[in-house]
Amino acid sequence: MDDTIFALSSGMPPAAIAVVRISGPAAAPALTALAGSLPPPRRASLRTLRTAEGELDRALVLYFPGPATATGEDLAELHLHGGRAVVAAVEKALAALDLGGAVLRRATPGEFTRRAFANGRIDLAEAEGLADLLSAETELQRRSAMALAGGAFSKQVEQWRDRVLTASASVEAALDFDDEDDVGELPADFRAGLEMFHVELCEWLARPRAEALRDGIRVALAGPPNAGKSTLFNALVGDESAAIVTPLAGTTRDVLMRPIALAGIPFTVVDTAGLRDETDDGIEAIGIARARDALGQADIVLWLGAEGEGPAGAWEIAAQSDRTGGPGKHTPRHAISAMTGAGMEALRDDLIATAATLLPKAGAVALNARQHRLIGQAADGLGIACGSGDPLIVAEGLRLARLSFDALIGRSTTEDMLDALFGRFCIGK
């Protein structure tokens, strides 16, 4: 990373202030070239930025010598007036600087954070938390991302890794010196300790996932044609025109999805085509197939059809309670009328209370798909170690667990995975 990079790191202009960040070995010469001299480290100085063509702006400038910086490199910041023309002129001036062969170029998306990772300022789990923090839209998302970005999960993984290394050392000693009475046997509580470790990882795997925070609790409405699904869908999302409602059976042909928030909790409400066993309409048949797929992906299914005919675990909803002739239900979870609003408040309260059990607790680390997969692999490795009396197999299981922990925090990773992660960031981050 001999190149020096620069980018606008604040919001897009116009704004009161625009922050242009410069990182790399030529950060100090670049700042000196525009500001006339290098300011004292870590102190804001008011300077006039100039090029040979004239004055660019009157700005606050800061210089942070590496490696104790956000990126681990020399870093400079220009706090400019936040007009588009000012920012464009300064970026053009930076790109045109002749620094004696040093490369000064515009940053690519996530490149500042990627340099922080490469230089050991943050690990991979913290970088994932930072990406989640930048995209957080709810308070629950923000607090979970803060826990990840703040290093809480990384510290936990390091503790797990240390426990594996300690166990591995005991096994290696037994393998290397099995003819020595004092080291030839594993400690009496060795297997019990591994079993407790395995249980701990399984408890982490059972935690609510990060995807629920990002995508919301999926609530699918299901039932036969004309059961009142679309009317209920419109009532839940607060938009009478969200789904077409007619007396004709089979009006809904596709899956409709709408994100909403109830009591600050994100939900995705899904309206599906009416379910029936046979249809001569090819398009309706496709809609029914998609509806069944949507039910399989839902966290909560509201069943508006005949009692007992819905998917396992579905909530029995007696819809259209203001009308006669609907599906009779002896013990519905909720009896509602989306038209009059009867029972709707109780249904919403129930959704909120149930969602609280499906989402991570506020401030707790929520595992994303990659983290969940790797912890699962570590648990599998420990399961192998727990289930064998052969020290060689035990050692191999522990090795697999350690490799998974290494991958969690970025000690072993691939360029493709890094490209995908840091590509989620904006250019100035």
Side-chain angles (χ1 to χ4, degrees), residues 167-228:
S168 296
S170 296
V171 175
E172 293 299 329
L175 287 170
D176 291 343
F177 305 103
D178 57 3
D179 58 340
E180 301 280 346
D181 291 339
D182 57 342
V183 293
E185 295 183 0
L186 293 171
D189 60 349
F190 181 82
R191 185 179 300 277
L194 288 187
E195 291 173 349
M196 291 178 61
F197 194 177
H198 183 262
V199 169
E200 181 179 341
L201 293 185
C202 290
E203 290 174 349
W204 271 79
L205 292 173
R207 288 185 173 196
R209 298 278 297 279
E211 287 77 14
L213 277 177
R214 183 185 66 239
D215 301 331
I217 300 299
R218 295 176 72 87
V219 179
L221 281 55
N226 271 7

Side-chain angles (χ1 to χ4, degrees), residues 22-242:
I22 309 165
S23 180
L31 180 55
T32 300
L34 294 185
S37 63
L38 200 64
R42 292 178 168 77
R43 287 181 57 188
S45 301
L46 183 63
R47 300 293 176 87
T48 298
L49 306 182
R50 292 188 177 89
T51 65
E53 286 73 31
E55 184 174 319
L56 294 169
D57 192 26
R58 186 89 163 148
L60 286 176
V61 300
L62 297 99
Y63 173 62
F64 306 91
T69 64
T71 60
E73 305 174 322
D74 289 352
L75 189 71
E77 289 184 356
L78 311 176
H79 294 226
L80 313 168
H81 290 94
R84 290 189 178 90
V86 174
V87 173
V90 170
E91 290 183 329
K92 181 180 178 181
L94 286 169
L97 285 178
D98 182 359
L99 301 175
V103 176
L104 183 65
R105 60 172 176 80
R106 297 177 187 273
T108 58
E111 192 167 6
F112 287 95
T113 308
R114 186 162 186 165
R115 291 190 175 201
F117 167 72
N119 292 322
R121 300 299 295 172
I122 59 174
D123 63 34
L124 196 57
E126 291 170 321
E128 287 177 311
L130 184 55
D132 291 343
L133 185 61
L134 294 176
S135 61
E137 295 182 354
T138 68
E139 178 63 9
L140 284 174
Q141 291 171 342
R142 182 193 69 80
R143 295 179 69 174
S144 177
M146 284 293 294
L148 196 59
F153 182 59
S154 300
K155 292 175 183 176
Q156 178 63 75
V157 175
E158 289 286 3
Q159 291 176 7
W160 288 337
R161 187 175 183 276
D162 288 344
R163 288 164 67 179
V164 167
L165 290 174
T166 299
S168 296
S170 296
V171 175
E172 293 299 329
L175 287 170
D176 291 343
F177 305 103
D178 57 3
D179 58 340
E180 301 280 346
D181 291 339
D182 57 342
V183 293
E185 295 183 0
L186 293 171
D189 60 349
F190 181 82
R191 185 179 300 277
L194 288 187
E195 291 173 349
M196 291 178 61
F197 194 177
H198 183 262
V199 169
E200 181 179 341
L201 293 185
C202 290
E203 290 174 349
W204 271 79
L205 292 173
R207 288 185 173 196
R209 298 278 297 279
E211 287 77 14
L213 277 177
R214 183 185 66 239
D215 301 331
I217 300 299
R218 295 176 72 87
V219 179
L221 281 55
N226 271 7
K229 299 183 299 299
S230 295
T231 304
L232 177 56
F233 178 81
N234 292 346
L236 285 173
V237 304
D239 183 352
E240 294 182 358
S241 62

